Amino acid sequence: MNSLIVLPLLIPLFTGTILIFFAKNTLTQRWISAAGSILMIIVSLWLAATVYNEGIQTMNLGNWEAPFGITLVSDMLSALLVVTTSLIGFVCLLYSFRYIEKEREEHFYYPVFFFLLLGINGAFTTGDIFNLFVFFEVMLMSSYVLLVLGGTKIQLRETIKYLLVNVIASALFVIAVGYLYSVVGSLNMAHISVRLAEMGQSGIITVIAVLFLIVFGAKGALFPLYFWLPGSYYAPPAPVLAMFGALLTKVGIYSIARTYTLLFNQDVGFTHGLLEVLAILTIIVGVIGAIAFSDIKKIIIYNIIVAVGVILFGVATFTQESLAGSIFYIIHDMNIKAALFLLIGIVIKITGTSDMTKMGGLIHRFPALAWTFFIAAAALAGIPPLSGFPGKVLIISSGFANGNYWGAAVVLLSSLFVLFSAMKIFMNVFWGKPETYANQEKVPVKWLLASPAILTVFAVLFGFGTEALYPVIMNAAETLSNPEIYINAVLKE
């Protein structure tokens, strides 16, 4: 048993709880939040190093041995996602200090922010399928508050839609877990995998697998269940949008990757074939949206949908190389989406609009903002040697190697359209004749730019450091492609 594994859950839990008592003291909330966030980064890095050096870490809560008790499991994939979540949480927190209005800060913004991190880290760490549902609900309840906090008309309207979709998806989640338990008699994911391997993939298991795909697809914005995302993510302020765009859909993607590699790996021809088709359609829909809009928030939001498809295409291909590509790409996308949403948040704050046809010439007054966006946009499109390149190369090469030429070609072509959509923003917003904006002198650009700049530097280092990171990523991919490693670590076989 390793108690280190529970710290990324306890730190946001206790930090969020303490912050409740200082709701009206903004300065104290900021200091406590910053301290808690830095501590999360340190602990998550320590946990990742421990997993890499000593292997998968597990903790049986209440000293009930798996599969009878609740087990927390941190393999390399889980640890990497927790590290990335902690980093993004920290920079979004710094950004919030000067972006979020005091009224929102005094209405429990920071406590709910940490409860959101608790739900996300818990979903990445749990080894129990029902507790995956529990942590999903913690995450979603926090997101409801962050989405509606401020009470504008668009926030209220989109929160109702967002809540309705997720309540239905959560109901289906419980039904799917109930069906699965009735068949295998266990909730421990490692034990479920053993039971399913003994039974073989019968018709009922395939139906349950599809039901889980519907549930996680709705939460992760997989085609055709993405319809709620563009409107809902458009409503909140930039730091909340960055958290949502970088992290929430990734929990759905992670859940698909975990269940479709560990549990539902018997009838790969059908289950993974279905996932592959939906992933390709998701990419196509996302690309169409990204190139169709002139609203900079909508363009980046639709690029979330493109990334969902790219990552899940790698999962569907189901080779160690393609899974490594998906892991590279999910870490890259979490980081770069947060950076881009924070950057366009600064642009919107300066110009007072998100319509790029009403902007122009920002590079003349804010060159650092412009070039930071340019580097982030290039990373988004997978331009070498930035962070988006290695994952996409592995996914595409695996697709071609496995004979899926159409799917790999769609992933490859999507890079061109993503680049076009991002450069469209750069040319319209930053290039051209300088405009004068009423709010430009009031916006603390240097402070706000620090957060996305940190993430953009990380994207550059991630790309240049691919060779150093490759053994770590392959460690994570090996656990996904070889479920026995995970099972043996949890069940101590």
Side-chain angles (χ1 to χ4, degrees):
M1 183 178 74
N2 190 340
S3 58
L4 179 62
I5 192 174
V6 80
L7 291 181
L9 281 65
L10 292 180
I11 292 170
L13 173 62
F14 286 126
T15 304
T17 303
I18 292 168
L19 286 167
I20 292 174
F21 297 99
F22 297 94
K24 301 301 179 183
N25 192 329
T26 302
L27 185 60
T28 303
Q29 284 195 89
R30 291 177 179 177
W31 279 107
I32 294 173
S33 298
S37 190
I38 292 170
L39 188 58
M40 275 183 60
I41 293 176
I42 294 170
V43 167
S44 62
L45 286 170
W46 185 10
L47 177 60
T50 303
V51 172
Y52 184 70
N53 292 320
E54 301 178 11
I56 297 173
Q57 303 295 300
T58 64
M59 180 177 183
N60 298 314
L61 302 180
N63 287 326
W64 286 88
E65 292 298 322
F68 304 107
I70 297 171
T71 305
L72 299 178
V73 184
S74 186
D75 62 353
M76 203 68 244
L77 173 59
S78 170
L80 288 172
L81 294 180
V82 169
V83 169
T84 310
T85 299
S86 300
L87 173 64
I88 291 169
F90 173 68
V91 297
C92 289
L93 196 65
L94 290 181
Y95 191 93
S96 297
F97 292 163
R98 298 296 294 273
Y99 197 96
I100 293 295
E101 303 88 347
K102 187 176 181 180
E103 183 181 358
R104 293 192 198 208
E105 288 183 301
E106 292 179 348
H107 282 81
F108 304 101
Y109 173 81
Y110 295 114
V112 176
F113 186 98
F114 276 92
F115 293 142
L116 180 74
L117 293 175
L118 166 63
I120 294 168
N121 285 345
F124 289 148
T125 306
T126 185
D128 182 284
I129 193 71
F130 182 77
N131 278 281
L132 179 61
F133 164 76
V134 172
F135 283 117
F136 255 107
E137 292 309 297
V138 173
M139 177 188 76
L140 289 171
M141 285 188 288
S142 303
S143 68
Y144 300 152
V145 178
L146 290 174
L147 187 58
V148 79
L149 198 62
T152 63
K153 183 178 179 180
I154 185 175
Q155 285 181 287
L156 296 172
R157 184 184 72 237
E158 294 301 333
T159 299
I160 292 171
K161 184 202 303 181
Y162 178 75
L163 194 151
L164 181 62
V165 169
N166 279 290
V167 165
I168 294 171
S170 295
L172 289 174
F173 197 167
V174 174
I175 292 169
V177 170
Y179 281 144
L180 185 61
Y181 182 78
S182 70
V183 173
V184 299
S186 179
L187 294 171
N188 182 284
M189 287 192 279
H191 195 224
I192 292 171
S193 181
V194 173
R195 290 284 182 89
L196 290 177
E198 293 170 350
M199 295 170 56
Q201 188 103 357
S202 62
I204 185 62
I205 300 302
T206 301
V207 171
I208 293 171
V210 173
L211 187 56
F212 272 105
L213 183 59
I214 293 170
V215 170
F216 297 138
K219 296 178 183 293
L222 183 67
F223 178 90
L225 302 169
Y226 69 92
F227 60 89
W228 57 270
L229 185 143
S232 297
Y233 280 20
Y234 190 86
V240 176
L241 172 56
M243 289 289 287
F244 284 15
L247 303 178
L248 296 199
T249 53
K250 305 310 182 295
V251 178
I253 294 171
Y254 165 81
S255 301
I256 293 173
R258 180 66 75 190
T259 54
Y260 269 56
T261 55
L262 180 62
L263 308 184
F264 308 118
N265 53 20
Q266 306 295 319
D267 188 11
V268 174
F270 179 80
T271 55
H272 291 61
L274 175 62
L275 178 60
E276 186 178 284
V277 171
L278 295 178
I280 293 169
L281 291 173
T282 303
I283 295 171
I284 294 171
V285 169
V287 163
I288 292 171
I291 63 177
F293 284 94
S294 60
D295 187 297
I296 58 176
K297 287 175 76 172
K298 282 285 178 70
I299 291 170
I300 305 300
I301 286 170
Y302 271 95
N303 272 297
I304 296 174
I305 298 171
V306 176
V308 169
V310 172
I311 296 164
L312 291 179
F313 178 79
V315 173
T317 303
F318 201 36
T319 65
Q320 187 169 338
E321 185 183 50
S322 71
L323 291 169
S326 291
I327 296 167
F328 263 117
Y329 204 82
I330 194 172
I331 295 170
H332 145 77
D333 194 69
M334 291 167 73
N335 174 73
I336 211 63
K337 285 297 191 307
L340 285 167
F341 282 123
L342 296 178
L343 287 166
I344 65 172
I346 301 172
V347 171
I348 293 168
K349 198 83 165 178
I350 293 169
T351 62
T353 180
S354 59
D355 185 350
M356 66 183 180
T357 62
K358 299 177 181 178
M359 307 177 193
L362 285 181
I363 195 171
H364 298 281
R365 180 143 180 89
F366 306 104
L369 174 63
W371 292 116
T372 303
F373 181 89
F374 181 84
I375 296 169
L380 176 70
I383 302 298
L386 300 173
S387 60
F389 180 69
K392 192 162 283 189
V393 166
L394 288 171
I395 291 170
I396 293 169
S397 62
S398 298
F400 282 122
N402 282 271
N404 191 343
Y405 303 112
W406 283 106
V410 168
V411 175
L412 181 60
L413 288 172
S414 71
S415 299
L416 298 177
F417 290 107
V418 168
L419 180 62
F420 171 77
S421 69
M423 288 300 113
K424 183 172 65 171
I425 296 176
F426 182 76
M427 297 302 293
N428 283 274
V429 173
F430 296 103
W431 223 247
K433 182 181 177 181
E435 301 283 347
T436 302
Y437 304 99
N439 294 326
Q440 67 183 27
E441 300 298 335
K442 302 176 184 178
V443 180
V445 173
K446 290 183 179 179
W447 175 280
L448 294 177
L449 185 57
S451 293
I454 291 170
L455 297 177
T456 305
V457 168
F458 179 78
V460 174
L461 296 176
F462 190 84
F464 279 98
T466 298
E467 187 174 352
L469 290 169
Y470 191 75
V472 179
I473 300 297
M474 289 306 293
N475 183 315
E478 184 181 9
T479 304
L480 287 182
S481 61
N482 186 4
E484 287 77 16
I485 299 173
Y486 184 97
I487 294 167
N488 293 338
V490 175
L491 301 182
K492 312 299 183 186
E493 294 183 351

